């Protein structure tokens, strides 16, 4: 195995790790709230989410 092969393997592994990290970051930080907002409060926000309060008052 030559240096070119090693460089290609390292680049592919780094790209894979970067994509996995980006997907995990998006999943953790940008998950939707109970009202579809991106506040990250999850399904437990109820009345405590300012975005949900705004949406409830507009209905």
């Amino acid at each position: 195995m030559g240096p070119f092969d090693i460089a290609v393997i390292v680049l592919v592994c780094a790209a894979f790790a970067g994509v996995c990290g980006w997907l995990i970051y998006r999943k953790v930080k940008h998950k939707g709230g109970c009202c579809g907002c991106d506040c990250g409060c999850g399904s437990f926000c109820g009345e405590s989410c300012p975005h949900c309060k705004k949406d409830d008052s507009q209905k």
Side-chain angles (χ1 to χ4, degrees):
M1 188 180 295
F4 179 76
D5 295 332
I6 293 172
V8 168
I9 291 172
V10 168
L11 287 174
V12 168
C13 290
F16 180 77
V19 168
C20 287
W22 179 72
L23 290 173
I24 291 170
Y25 173 77
R26 296 273 303 165
K27 180 73 174 173
V28 170
K29 293 294 182 181
H30 298 290
K31 63 181 178 179
C34 61
C35 58
C37 63
D38 289 331
C39 65
C41 58
S43 61
F44 303 107
C45 69
E47 294 289 324
S48 63
C49 174
H51 301 108
C52 293
K53 286 181 185 178
K54 187 186 326 178
D55 287 345
D56 288 341
S57 65
Q58 292 175 354
K59 289 182 183 177

